[in-house]
Amino acid sequence: MPIRILPEPGPTRLLTFITMVMSLGQGLWMALSAIYAVTVVGMSPGELGIALGITAVLVLVSSIPLGHLADRAGPRTVQLWSFLALAPLTAALVAAQGFWSYLIVTSVQGLAYRAGNNARKAMIAANVPRKERVHVMAYIRAAVNATLAVGACLAGLVLVWDERAGYQGAVLFTAVCFLITGLLTLKERPVPPAPATPGAAFSVLRDTPFLAFTVLDGALATHALLLDLVLPLWVVHHTDAPRWTSAALLLLNTVLVVALQTRAARGVDGPRSASFASLQGAGCVAAACLLFALTDGAEAVAAGVLLGVGALLHALGEIRQAAGSWTIVFDLAPDHAQGQYQGTYKMGQDIGKMFAPAVLAWLIIGHGAVGWVVLAVAYAVLGAAVPAVVAHGARKAAAAAPAKDAATV
């Protein structure tokens, strides 16, 4: 059966196609951004780290307010202007020289991207029936991985050319992708702003079960860094597998996500099934960690086989846990606050990614196989906690719905 990248014609296909255009530029820029900052802008690696850290903190603290903006101004309006603003902001990097100009541009760029991303999820919530959202998100994620891979391949060509004009051309190409994304947003159905509700503006901060899920999911989502950060170092320092093995594992992960994400979303149709999907995903990742532990000191063939099977389990866990997370966030968020709930969910992932690199490197590279076992136990425990937290959140959301309906009568 051929792999379907785009869903059937209609609003869902447009949602998917717009995201593909955006991610094509993102795939190109992600692979080149650090090299561009150092070789073209003229920053030192230390200055780049500081700039990225400052930008990450600004985006983190602004995530909920930017999500609230999507609710109050209307998600299509925020998405439109965010991506239209990203076009000149990205193009401005061509003129950036040194630390301060790069920091100013990338900070504003990061805020605009987060605003657009929050609005994008709110657009899906508004335009897609509840029962179809996880299926649509699965299509989008598969399509995004495919176009990210294409963007990364284009980045490879730029790196082979290794000329200033090529790097600047890649920046402008990314800017054009953002511009097209913004213009295509005009073809989507307008979504009216959600009316203000009584009480605190950021109601998500009072939703304890959702905040608890955000923490659990943010910690679970750190498994995405295993293939990008930990395994390349592990392969070199702890196994006899060839150095290119880590790149092959990343390619395998991309292919599996594109091929299997829509299938992995089947049967996930509510908070209960979604919470158990997250549990299953965490279990697969935990099992992958145990297989990775067995490669400590292994010779090339055995290490290659174990790493390959572990990567397969990791990919299955990743796509199953992702399908569960999408459904949980969409279903626990009230319709009038989808933007701020999506922003809070993303903030949890951001916090996890801020601390995970140092923790994972210390745990795995510093402690070897024991570190992998500890990590496996941690992921299993986190996954096991999700169903109870989500069940509590679902009961709270169900109890709040009648009260809200009564207040509007």
Side-chain angles (χ1 to χ4, degrees), residues 278-354:
S278 289
L279 171 59
Q280 293 161 1
C284 287
V285 173
C289 290
L290 294 177
L291 284 179
F292 295 149
L294 295 176
T295 65
D296 193 9
E299 53 90 18
V301 175
V305 171
L306 290 170
L307 288 169
V309 177
L312 172 61
L313 282 171
H314 178 277
L316 294 175
E318 177 185 340
I319 58 182
R320 189 64 174 166
Q321 189 242 336
S325 297
W326 301 327
T327 303
I328 292 167
V329 178
F330 279 128
D331 285 4
L332 295 189
D335 290 338
H336 69 276
Q338 283 285 345
Q340 63 173 281
Y341 271 69
Q342 295 292 345
T344 304
Y345 167 68
K346 192 64 179 176
M347 188 173 68
Q349 294 187 330
D350 289 343
I351 294 174
K353 291 176 182 177
M354 285 177 64

Side-chain angles (χ1 to χ4, degrees), residues 87-402:
L89 284 170
T90 302
L93 288 170
V94 171
Q97 287 297 318
F99 174 79
W100 288 108
S101 59
Y102 183 87
L103 173 63
I104 292 170
V105 172
T106 55
S107 295
V108 182
Q109 186 189 44
L111 293 173
Y113 183 80
R114 175 52 55 84
N117 187 268
N118 290 345
R120 189 108 201 94
K121 296 291 182 63
M123 284 288 289
I124 293 171
N127 284 304
V128 179
R130 184 176 294 271
K131 292 293 184 182
E132 298 177 18
R133 288 173 186 167
V134 67
H135 187 64
V136 170
M137 285 295 296
Y139 264 118
I140 289 175
R141 189 164 191 264
V144 163
N145 273 270
T147 47
L148 283 175
V150 174
C153 290
L154 293 176
L157 297 177
V158 174
L159 290 170
V160 170
W161 186 18
D162 194 26
E163 294 289 342
R164 184 184 184 89
Y167 292 119
Q168 293 180 329
V171 170
L172 296 177
F173 180 86
T174 303
V176 169
C177 288
F178 283 130
L179 175 62
I180 295 173
T181 300
L183 294 176
L184 286 174
T185 300
L186 293 170
K187 298 176 66 66
E188 296 188 287
R189 182 178 69 85
V191 178
T197 57
F202 302 145
S203 58
V204 68
L205 296 178
R206 295 176 293 164
D207 192 338
T208 305
F210 187 83
L211 294 176
F213 165 73
T214 296
V215 172
L216 291 174
D217 189 82
L220 278 173
T222 59
H223 63 65
L225 297 172
L226 295 181
L227 295 185
D228 297 342
L229 173 68
V230 178
L231 277 178
L233 297 174
W234 177 262
V235 167
V236 171
H237 295 291
H238 288 267
T239 78
D240 289 333
R243 289 175 177 263
W244 51 259
T245 301
S246 57
L249 296 178
L250 278 172
L251 177 61
L252 174 64
N253 177 269
T254 300
V255 171
L256 289 172
V257 170
V258 172
L260 300 177
Q261 184 65 79
T262 54
R263 293 178 175 85
R266 292 173 183 171
V268 181
D269 54 8
R272 187 174 187 275
S273 59
S275 65
F276 283 102
S278 289
L279 171 59
Q280 293 161 1
C284 287
V285 173
C289 290
L290 294 177
L291 284 179
F292 295 149
L294 295 176
T295 65
D296 193 9
E299 53 90 18
V301 175
V305 171
L306 290 170
L307 288 169
V309 177
L312 172 61
L313 282 171
H314 178 277
L316 294 175
E318 177 185 340
I319 58 182
R320 189 64 174 166
Q321 189 242 336
S325 297
W326 301 327
T327 303
I328 292 167
V329 178
F330 279 128
D331 285 4
L332 295 189
D335 290 338
H336 69 276
Q338 283 285 345
Q340 63 173 281
Y341 271 69
Q342 295 292 345
T344 304
Y345 167 68
K346 192 64 179 176
M347 188 173 68
Q349 294 187 330
D350 289 343
I351 294 174
K353 291 176 182 177
M354 285 177 64
F355 295 102
V359 173
L360 292 177
W362 170 79
L363 187 63
I364 305 302
I365 307 305
H367 296 82
V370 173
W372 281 115
V373 174
V374 171
L375 190 60
V377 173
Y379 284 136
V381 171
L382 290 168
V386 170
V389 170
V390 172
H392 179 35
R395 289 193 299 269
K396 183 176 180 179

